Amino acid sequence: MEFQSSRLPLNNVIINTGNLLSLNDITKKPGQNTTEELVEALTITLKDFQSTNKIDSIEDHHLTITRPFEDLASKIAEHEINDLKIGLKIFVENDKEQQMVEAIEKTFKALNISSVQNVILSYNNKQSEGQNDVIGKIKNIWQTLEKFVQEKKILQIGISDVEELAFRTLYEWATVKPSIIQINLASCCVVPPTLQTFCKDNEVQLLTHSDPNDILPEQSIQGLFGAQLSLKWVVRFLVHIKCRGVLTTKGYLVSLCND
């Protein structure tokens, strides 16, 4: 299915996939990687939009598209907020403060929440930047996340897919220390013992994952929209029931623009 980007009336579009656990077509495919899951979720959401023309909202020059009859806020409201653990992973390709703030605030609004337990940053370096440039951009993003922690809107912040030197540099520099680091075992089959020791000594959670750093490649965007839109950010949200560790809600918000 190819969605015609010419149908988008505004330059900025946010696509809210809703709760993927309510989609049998996706939940029956546990072997999907993250990109395949996201592309299929977007395909279903855009197909529903084409058939119903349901626009969730237009404000601040953003068009928001959701699946018909999808209500994330109601799903989350089925439980006391204190009984839930809500985590976000934010995939970005630049260090613009406005886009990071937008990603968090739009997700809070979609879920009708005012805070989350943790946010993991995934910075996709597409420009073949040097290590110092990458660290500098991560620091810029980190300062934005620290503001949310200081405002008590985020409890913990962490980072994904950075080299050990970059992580140590960030840790020593940061006002709010990273409490989580995610390592992709596809690119690092063995976690360096020095990193393991550092995390243990500083009470940092060292987790593994299988998310691609480039979560929505250009060819996937082209296939979905028939045009080369620019990806601003992707947020994946996960909602667990604390006492049981049961995942109740999972989905994505994706922001693109017609630059």
Side-chain angles (χ1 to χ4, degrees):
M1 191 279 293
E2 182 180 289
F3 181 83
Q4 295 302 316
S5 61
S6 60
R7 295 191 63 218
L8 304 180
L10 298 176
N11 288 331
N12 297 289
V13 182
I14 294 175
I15 303 169
N16 179 351
T17 68
N19 183 14
L20 301 189
L21 301 186
S22 66
L23 292 174
N24 291 331
D25 289 344
I26 291 181
T27 55
K28 288 180 179 178
K29 299 177 182 178
Q32 285 182 318
N33 65 36
T34 306
T35 296
E36 291 170 341
E37 177 184 73
L38 176 56
V39 169
E40 184 166 5
L42 291 172
T43 299
I44 293 171
T45 304
L46 293 171
K47 182 178 179 181
D48 287 348
F49 171 72
Q50 284 185 308
S51 63
T52 65
N53 284 328
K54 179 186 182 299
I55 297 176
D56 185 57
S57 65
I58 298 178
E59 60 179 45
D60 300 327
H61 302 289
H62 285 82
L63 164 69
T64 301
I65 296 173
T66 61
R67 299 201 328 268
F69 313 115
E70 178 66 26
D71 192 345
L72 286 170
S74 294
K75 178 65 178 177
I76 292 173
E78 292 176 0
H79 306 274
E80 293 292 332
I81 193 67
N82 291 334
D83 294 334
L84 300 175
K85 178 181 178 182
I86 304 174
L88 311 178
K89 186 168 183 178
I90 305 179
F91 302 81
V92 295
E93 298 181 355
N94 61 61
D95 60 345
K96 295 179 181 178
E97 178 180 5
Q98 180 183 359
Q99 291 190 14
M100 176 57 66
V101 171
E102 176 186 280
I104 295 172
E105 290 184 345
K106 292 295 184 182
T107 304
F108 279 14
K109 181 175 181 180
L111 302 180
N112 193 27
I113 55 175
S114 57
S115 64
V116 294
Q117 274 68 34
N118 62 72
V119 170
I120 306 295
L121 166 66
S122 178
Y123 171 66
N124 182 21
N125 170 25
K126 279 190 170 183
Q127 307 301 322
S128 299
E129 299 160 319
Q131 183 75 350
N132 289 336
D133 292 332
V134 171
I135 293 174
K137 290 194 173 183
I138 289 174
K139 284 181 177 180
N140 290 339
I141 301 168
W142 200 260
Q143 288 179 315
T144 302
L145 293 174
E146 286 181 328
K147 293 176 184 177
F148 281 90
V149 175
Q150 291 158 0
E151 294 170 357
K152 302 187 184 305
K153 294 180 179 180
I154 300 174
L155 182 62
Q156 294 178 305
I157 46 179
I159 192 162
S160 176
D161 299 329
V162 292
E163 296 181 3
E164 181 177 353
L165 175 59
F167 179 72
R168 286 174 175 266
T169 301
L170 175 65
Y171 189 92
E172 296 301 328
W173 165 86
T175 301
V176 178
K177 307 296 184 184
S179 55
I180 303 168
I181 180 171
Q182 286 189 338
I183 302 295
N184 194 326
L185 291 182
S187 58
C188 177
C189 56
V190 178
V191 178
T194 51
L195 179 58
Q196 294 184 47
T197 300
F198 181 86
C199 291
K200 183 177 180 181
D201 291 345
N202 292 281
E203 298 183 340
V204 176
Q205 295 181 65
L206 199 162
L207 308 174
T208 59
H209 74 101
S210 58
D211 298 324
N213 197 229
D214 189 6
I215 190 171
L216 192 59
E218 292 178 357
Q219 60 267 30
S220 296
I221 296 174
Q222 178 75 34
L224 282 164
F225 295 94
Q228 198 53 66
L229 303 178
S230 297
L231 179 66
K232 293 169 64 178
W233 47 261
V234 175
V235 177
R236 180 176 65 211
F237 49 86
L238 300 173
V239 182
H240 290 84
I241 300 176
K242 286 180 184 177
C243 62
R244 292 184 285 159
V246 176
L247 180 66
T248 65
T249 307
K250 173 185 180 180
Y252 298 87
L253 262 68
V254 179
S255 180
L256 303 114
C257 57
N258 270 318
D259 290 347

